[in-house]
Amino acid sequence: PSSLAATITSPLIAHCEELADNIWTTSSDLEFTADMDDGEQVVAMSFLVSIPQNAIISSASIQFAVFQNTTGFTRVRFFSEADLDPMPFTDTIGNVTDRIFSNSYVDWEPPNWLGIGSQTADQRTSNIAPIIQELVMQRNWTAKSRTINIIAKRAPTDFGKNTRSAYSGDSGSYAPILTVTYSGIGSVFDSAATTWSEEETETSIPYL
């Protein structure tokens, strides 16, 4: 397997929409799934990826870092945005929640987060491969670099008000990293860091 690590390319990395009709396109932290002061949130994260069409996604996860110590049960549900050429996020109300989400979703129940700056398995999502697989299997998907949006919201089976507070994308080494492992036949993926052909490849992708 080969690996690719990209760098942050844009300061507009946090897209948080409260269900109370407020939205931010920048934020120091990402709160899953409620702002401690203002209520429930939906969080969108943008990543730039290069994955061949019809590649088999064996695993994918996002690594976060603790921004604030948080405890108590919470369940987060992840989707991808179904649009292969998503529009940029704006501060218009509904700009996140009115988008079309993937049919697939993955739930995550993170344990207590203790230790500011911690980046361990406790801050790593469950396997979100299904929501990325749904995108790369689409007819119009190409291996060119493209933006995908990952959406996180409270799972319907989570009735509490607990949250997890992670560093946002403008936080240097604490920024979220999407890691994707995939394999396939007949496609070649070239980048400055790796060449891919008929092999399993692990790609680490930071926030846009």
Side-chain angles (χ1 to χ4, degrees):
S2 303
S3 63
L4 169 67
T7 57
I8 297 171
T9 59
S10 170
L12 298 178
I13 41 63
H15 315 285
C16 306
E17 182 174 335
E18 291 181 2
L19 299 189
D21 291 338
N22 293 305
I23 190 167
W24 294 270
T25 54
T26 59
S27 178
S28 59
D29 67 324
L30 304 174
E31 293 178 294
F32 307 98
T33 53
D35 184 285
M36 293 181 178
D37 298 319
D38 298 314
E40 188 171 343
Q41 285 190 347
V42 178
V43 175
M45 297 165 284
S46 300
F47 300 94
L48 189 65
V49 303
S50 294
I51 301 174
Q53 186 183 38
N54 298 326
I56 303 304
I57 311 298
S58 56
S59 66
S61 62
I62 303 175
Q63 179 69 59
F64 297 106
V66 176
F67 180 83
Q68 185 174 357
N69 292 333
T70 45
T71 61
F73 174 82
T74 189
R75 181 180 288 125
V76 185
R77 179 161 291 183
F78 290 95
F79 300 84
S80 58
E81 184 178 350
D83 194 337
L84 297 186
D85 291 299
M87 296 295 293
F89 289 100
T90 69
D91 58 3
T92 303
I93 299 301
N95 191 254
V96 174
T97 52
D98 288 348
R99 295 178 183 233
I100 299 175
F101 297 168
S102 57
N103 293 318
S104 304
Y105 63 84
V106 175
D107 287 352
W108 178 41
E109 298 176 10
N112 294 337
W113 282 12
L114 300 173
I116 305 302
S118 294
Q119 293 171 295
T120 71
D122 287 349
Q123 290 79 47
R124 189 177 309 126
T125 68
S126 49
N127 187 359
I128 60 172
I131 67 175
I132 299 176
Q133 187 72 73
E134 184 174 325
L135 295 178
V136 302
M137 296 299 288
Q138 291 191 40
R139 178 181 301 177
N140 294 330
W141 179 272
T142 61
K144 70 177 182 179
S145 294
R146 61 171 65 245
T147 298
I148 64 170
N149 293 327
I150 306 298
I151 314 296
K153 59 188 297 186
R154 184 185 298 278
T157 50
D158 179 1
F159 302 106
K161 296 182 179 180
N162 298 313
T163 191
R164 295 294 180 271
S165 180
Y167 276 94
S168 187
D170 57 354
S171 307
S173 61
Y174 290 148
I177 295 288
L178 169 66
T179 298
V180 181
T181 302
Y182 60 89
S183 59
I185 297 176
S187 298
V188 177
F189 163 52
D190 292 305
S191 74
T194 186
T195 299
W196 178 89
S197 179
E198 300 184 11
E199 66 175 341
E200 186 174 80
T201 303
E202 182 175 275
T203 302
S204 295
I205 309 145
Y207 244 151
L208 274 178

